[in-house]
Structures are given as structure tokens and as C-alpha cells.
């Protein structure tokens, strides 16, 4: 899986939320050559996190959503199809009170469905899609096929040899899509040079900058840097631009054996703390997000570790969410150990320990030096890792 799919993929939470109604919008769709009965899910984006707000089943080639906005402004939404374990790429949408959005398509390739809307962001997004429609359709076809191959790998009825072959086919499709993405990026960069800066433009720049950081062979480094340099001083102060800068010019990384990188860290009451406050005991740092499934799955084990090593180990969960999403997540999950946030998102302390994936774990010695770093979670993996680290 390439870095953009890993990092830039939409983080979706399948849960309901109560909000104060400010206005109603309607989305109506009519599509052909899509299997009857598939589920269409609508998400509202809250920062980088998508909140599931509605679902409809395709009947007679049609679907419809009637929902309420969060306020009087414009909501960012995404639409996907789910069928069993398969989920498509997302169609970006924008809605405001009174919007009546019409969608048409003639296949499962949701990303390139046509959208009729009076919202400026939708028009700009449509320009990017139209520039590379055929390439995006090829990309989506490969993406769907790759997901189906990996879904088959989960079957208990196939041999290890068959699984190996299926994974090889999936990796081949992923490589094909890397090449397609590079060709699309060339068209995106050309279009961006013609457009004023808005939130759609900044979103494209962020995706391009991610490739600059994580793809050593990326061919458009100079062009992407020039796009960033074209931003005004005021635009560079936004959180999005600061995240982009952290990709284009990453801060000095924390290395094993070196003193831990530190910063002002806030608790939910607004009190300021520092990692250096915990010197004298080893520290386990967990970088996490509300929209990261493995991060949430790991929380019970984090709780178990905090109890098992109470008095001997400091356990710190460091959210990379904005304040709102951090507070929501904290209400839903019982975090009885240190629950902190530098409120800088991807360009804060996380950038200095970043491997491109969360959950990201950092283990500090009692002297405050970086002893070990790793990413990912599987059930029991943290307990096993800490048992070894606490013995060393």
C-alpha cells in the first residue's frame, strides 16, 4: 500500500452523533451498472475524521439523503459504497443549508461520479477530476480489484500458497496505481498553478507534500515546493499549511539514544506538562487519533499496562487530533493514565517521532532518552513488548 493511501486515506468512524440542526440539505443520486442493494454511506468530515451520519440502500438505481448541517456555513462530506468488506474510494461533497445536490454515475467508480451543485468548492474539485477522469477510473478499478484480492486472502478455504499468489497480485495492482497517481499528480500541479488558493487547493497540496516526504523517488519535489512557496505569509500560518511544511521540510527526527524531543503538552483542563516532568521513570508514549481503529483497539491494553506497571512506568497517550475531536474521543474512552495533546496536529511533537503511521509508540528510558520506537498494534503486542522493555 502506498503512502498516500496509508496516510491520506479518510479516517471514518461508524457511529452516530447528535448535533444542533441549523439547516437542511438534500442529496439525490441516480446511477446505473451498480449492484442493487449496495449500501451508500455519507460521512461528515470533522477535521481529518469522517463521522457516519447517514446510510441508504440503492434501489432502482437511486439513493437519497436529507440531512442537517452543523451550522450556517459549508459542511465537508464524503460518500462511499460499502458491500460486505469492500468499500470504494470516496466522493468529496460540500453542502450548506438549502443545498440540493444531484449525483449521476454509470458504474461503481464513485470518485468520478458527476455532481451538480452550486457550491464553489464542488466546482473546483470537478476541475481536478475532469482533468484526469480516465486515469482516475483506471485507478479505481485497480483499487477495487486489489481490495477484493485481499478480502479473498481472509478466507479459511484457501491455501497459504494461494494467499501468497493473491497478495502478489494485489501488490502488482498497487504498483500500477503508484504510476497512475504520478501521472495524475502532473495534471493536478498544472491545474493548481491556474487556480487561486482555497481549501480544495490546500487539500491537494497536502496530498502532494505527503508524497514528497514518503516517496524518495517522487519526481515533482521542486514543483510542490514552489506551490507551497506561492502561499502568502497569512496562508502559511494556518494549521493545514503548517502540516504541509512538516512534510516538505520535516523537523529533525528523534533518534535512538538521544534526548527525547519535548514540547508544551496540555491536559483536558488546560494545564501544561512536559515529557521532562517524568524523568526518573521510563515513559511509554502512544501517539493516537480518534479516527484510528488500531489506536482505539489498543486502549484496553494501554489501560492494562498502566495498571500492571503502576509506580514503575509513566504511560502517556498523546492525541494528534484537534481539540474538539480529542475531547470527544476522551469522553468515549476511559483513559485513566496521562491523556495529553500539544494541539499542533501533524506538525507538532508527532512530526519528530513520525514514521507515517499510527498508533506510534515511543519508549523513553528513565534518563529521558529515546530507547525504542515502533508503529502498529495487534492484540497482546504491547504487553509482550513492554515485558521485554521493562526487563532491559
Amino acid at each position: 500500500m502506498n503512502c498516500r493511501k496509508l496516510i491520506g486515506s479518510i479516517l471514518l468512524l461508524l457511529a452516530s452523533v447528535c448535533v444542533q440542526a441549523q439547516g437542511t440539505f438534500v442529496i439525490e443520486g441516480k446511477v446505473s451498472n451498480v449492484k442493487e442493494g449496495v449500501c451508500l454511506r455519507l460521512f461528515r468530515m470533522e477535521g481529518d475524521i469522517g463521522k457516519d451520519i447517514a446510510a441508504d440502500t440503492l434501489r432502482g438505481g437511486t439513493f437519497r439523503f436529507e440531512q442537517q448541517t452543523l451550522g450556517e456555513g459549508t459542511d465537508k462530506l464524503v460518500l462511499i459504497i460499502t458491500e460486505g468488506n469492500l468499500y470504494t474510494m470516496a466522493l468529496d461533497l460540500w453542502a450548506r443549508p438549502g443545498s440540493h445536490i444531484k449525483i449521476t454515475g454509470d458504474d461503481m467508480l464513485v470518485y468520478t461520479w458527476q455532481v451538480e451543485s452550486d457550491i464553489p468548492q464542488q466546482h473546483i474539485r470537478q476541475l481536478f477530476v475532469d482533468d484526469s477522469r480516465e486515469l482516475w477510473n483506471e485507478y479505481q478499478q485497480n483499487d477495487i480489484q486489489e481490495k477484493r484480492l485481499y478480502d479473498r486472502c481472509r478466507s479459511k478455504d484457501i491455501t497459504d500458497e494461494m494467499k501468497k499468489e493473491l497478495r502478489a497480485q494485489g501488490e502488482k495492482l498497487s504498483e500500477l496505481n503508484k504510476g497512475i497517481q504520478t501521472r495524475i499528480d502532473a495534471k493536478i500541479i498544472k491545474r493548481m498553478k491556474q487556480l487561486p488558493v482555497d481549501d480544495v487547493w490546500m487539500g491537494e497540496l497536502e496530498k502532494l507534500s505527503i508524497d514528497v516526504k514518503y516517496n524518495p523517488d517522487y519526481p515533482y519535489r521542486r514543483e510542490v515546493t514552489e506551490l507551497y512557496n506561492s502561499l502568502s505569509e497569512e496562508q502559511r500560518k494556518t494549521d493545514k499549511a503548517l502540516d504541509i511544511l512538516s512534510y516538505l521540510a520535516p523537523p529533525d527526527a528523534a533518534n535512538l539514544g538521544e534526548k527525547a524531543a519535548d514540547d508544551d503538552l496540555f491536559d483536558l483542563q488546560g494545564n501544561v506538562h512536559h515529557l521532562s516532568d517524568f524523568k526518573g521513570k521510563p515513559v511509554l508514549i502512544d501517539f493516537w487519533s480518534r479516527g484510528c481503529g488500531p489506536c482505539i483497539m489498543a486502549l484496553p491494553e494501554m489501560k492494562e499496562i498502566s495498571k500492571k506497571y503502576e509506580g514503575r512506568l509513566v504511560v502517556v497517550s498523546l492525541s494528534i487530533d484537534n481539540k474538539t475531536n480529542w475531547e470527544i474521543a476522551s469522553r468515549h474512552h476511559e483513559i485513566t493514565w496521562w491523556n495529553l495533546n500539544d494541539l499542533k496536529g501533524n506538525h507538532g511533537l508527532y512530526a519528530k517521532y513520525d514514521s507515517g503511521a499510527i498508533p506510534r509508540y515511543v519508549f523513553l528510558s528513565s534518563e529521558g532518552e529515546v530507547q525504542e520506537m515502533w508503529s502498529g498494534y495487534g492484540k497482546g503486542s504491547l504487553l509482550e513488548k513492554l515485558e521485554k522493555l521493562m526487563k532491559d
Side-chain angles (χ1 to χ4, degrees), residues 11 13 55 71 75 92 96 115 134 149 163-164 217 232 234 252 278 311 321:
L11 302 172
L13 293 179
D75 288 359
D92 293 327
R96 56 192 177 199
V115 181
E134 291 185 5
L149 287 170
K163 289 180 181 179
K164 183 178 179 181
D217 300 320
S232 68
E234 194 64 30
D252 292 337
F278 308 123
D321 288 334

Side-chain angles (χ1 to χ4, degrees), residues 1 8 13 75 78 80 102 144 146 156 160 180 197 210 263 276 307 322 350-352 357 365:
M1 182 175 288
L13 293 179
D75 288 359
V78 297
I80 66 170
K102 295 182 179 180
I144 289 173
E146 181 185 352
K156 297 179 180 179
D160 289 343
I180 293 171
V197 175
I210 287 170
D263 204 347
S276 58
K307 289 184 176 180
N322 60 29
Y350 170 62
K352 299 181 180 180
S365 70

Side-chain angles (χ1 to χ4, degrees), residues 35-46:
K35 184 179 177 181
E36 286 284 287
V38 298
C39 180
L40 294 104
R41 306 198 75 99
L42 185 67
F43 295 81
R44 176 183 287 113
M45 298 305 296
E46 300 173 357

Side-chain angles (χ1 to χ4, degrees), residues 133-149:
R133 182 170 294 277
E134 291 185 5
L135 289 171
W136 275 123
N137 285 343
E138 185 179 353
Y139 188 106
Q140 289 179 92
Q141 289 166 348
N142 291 342
D143 182 67
I144 289 173
Q145 188 177 350
E146 181 185 352
K147 288 170 179 172
R148 284 176 172 156
L149 287 170

Side-chain angles (χ1 to χ4, degrees), residues 47-67:
D48 292 331
I49 297 171
K51 191 72 173 181
D52 191 358
I53 61 172
D56 193 17
T57 301
L58 189 68
R59 300 295 183 196
T62 66
F63 60 90
R64 187 178 190 275
F65 299 100
E66 183 171 342
Q67 292 293 313

Side-chain angles (χ1 to χ4, degrees), residues 83-355:
E83 182 184 8
N85 291 323
L86 174 68
Y87 57 94
T88 63
M89 289 176 59
L91 173 62
D92 293 327
L93 299 169
W94 287 263
R96 56 192 177 199
S99 292
H100 191 165
I101 301 162
K102 295 182 179 180
I103 298 173
T104 56
D106 58 5
D107 47 39
M108 279 275 287
L109 309 181
V110 177
Y111 187 86
T112 47
W113 282 357
Q114 294 282 357
V115 181
E116 183 181 331
S117 169
D118 65 349
I119 297 179
Q121 290 97 321
Q122 201 73 57
H123 295 170
I124 298 299
R125 193 258 183 192
Q126 199 68 48
L127 290 174
F128 285 114
V129 171
D130 290 343
D131 286 341
S132 306
R133 182 170 294 277
E134 291 185 5
L135 289 171
W136 275 123
N137 285 343
E138 185 179 353
Y139 188 106
Q140 289 179 92
Q141 289 166 348
N142 291 342
D143 182 67
I144 289 173
Q145 188 177 350
E146 181 185 352
K147 288 170 179 172
R148 284 176 172 156
L149 287 170
Y150 285 120
D151 188 44
R152 285 181 60 194
C153 284
R154 298 188 183 98
S155 173
K156 297 179 180 179
D157 300 328
I158 61 175
T159 65
D160 289 343
E161 189 63 30
M162 291 174 64
K163 289 180 181 179
K164 183 178 179 181
E165 175 60 26
L166 291 171
R167 292 192 184 100
Q169 293 177 35
E171 289 170 3
K172 184 177 180 180
L173 289 168
S174 182
E175 284 300 312
L176 284 172
N177 272 358
K178 286 182 182 179
I180 293 171
Q181 184 69 67
T182 300
R183 293 162 64 191
I184 292 172
D185 285 356
K187 295 177 179 291
I188 289 173
I189 291 168
K190 181 178 179 180
R191 176 63 69 177
M192 290 176 71
K193 291 178 180 179
Q194 304 168 1
L195 294 172
V197 175
D198 66 357
D199 56 349
V200 180
W201 194 99
M202 290 294 289
E204 294 298 333
L205 182 59
E206 181 178 34
K207 286 182 282 188
L208 294 170
S209 67
I210 287 170
D211 275 334
V212 169
K213 179 174 181 179
Y214 294 103
N215 182 354
D217 300 320
Y218 192 63
Y220 305 124
R221 293 174 175 272
R222 177 179 58 82
E223 292 86 348
V224 175
T225 300
E226 288 175 352
L227 287 171
Y228 171 81
N229 289 339
S230 71
L231 296 175
S232 68
E233 287 301 319
E234 194 64 30
Q235 289 164 342
R236 293 186 194 188
K237 295 177 183 177
T238 64
D239 283 339
K240 181 71 75 176
L242 290 169
D243 282 350
I244 289 168
L245 181 60
S246 74
Y247 298 134
L248 296 178
D252 292 337
N255 296 310
L256 297 182
E258 295 181 352
K259 183 180 178 181
D262 207 347
D263 204 347
D264 288 347
L265 304 173
F266 301 90
D267 61 27
L268 289 167
Q269 290 72 44
N271 301 309
V272 180
H273 308 271
H274 300 91
L275 294 176
S276 58
D277 297 342
F278 308 123
K279 192 172 181 180
K281 294 180 181 177
V283 180
L284 173 65
I285 306 170
D286 159 37
F287 289 99
W288 70 294
S289 167
R290 176 190 175 202
C292 166
C295 299
I296 302 304
M297 290 170 57
L299 291 179
E301 200 162 319
M302 290 287 292
K303 183 176 183 179
E304 189 173 348
I305 286 169
S306 69
K307 289 184 176 180
K308 180 175 181 178
Y309 296 104
E310 186 174 5
R312 299 169 51 204
L313 172 72
V314 178
V315 180
V316 180
S317 281
L318 266 175
S319 173
I320 63 172
D321 288 334
N322 60 29
K323 187 176 181 181
T324 298
N325 280 316
W326 174 42
E327 290 173 344
I328 291 172
S330 298
R331 289 198 298 268
H332 282 81
H333 304 286
E334 186 184 2
I335 301 178
T336 55
W337 53 99
W338 286 99
N339 179 18
L340 305 174
N341 192 328
D342 64 8
L343 302 178
K344 294 181 181 178
N346 290 321
H347 61 271
L349 197 58
Y350 170 62
K352 299 181 180 180
Y353 294 101
D354 177 20
S355 70

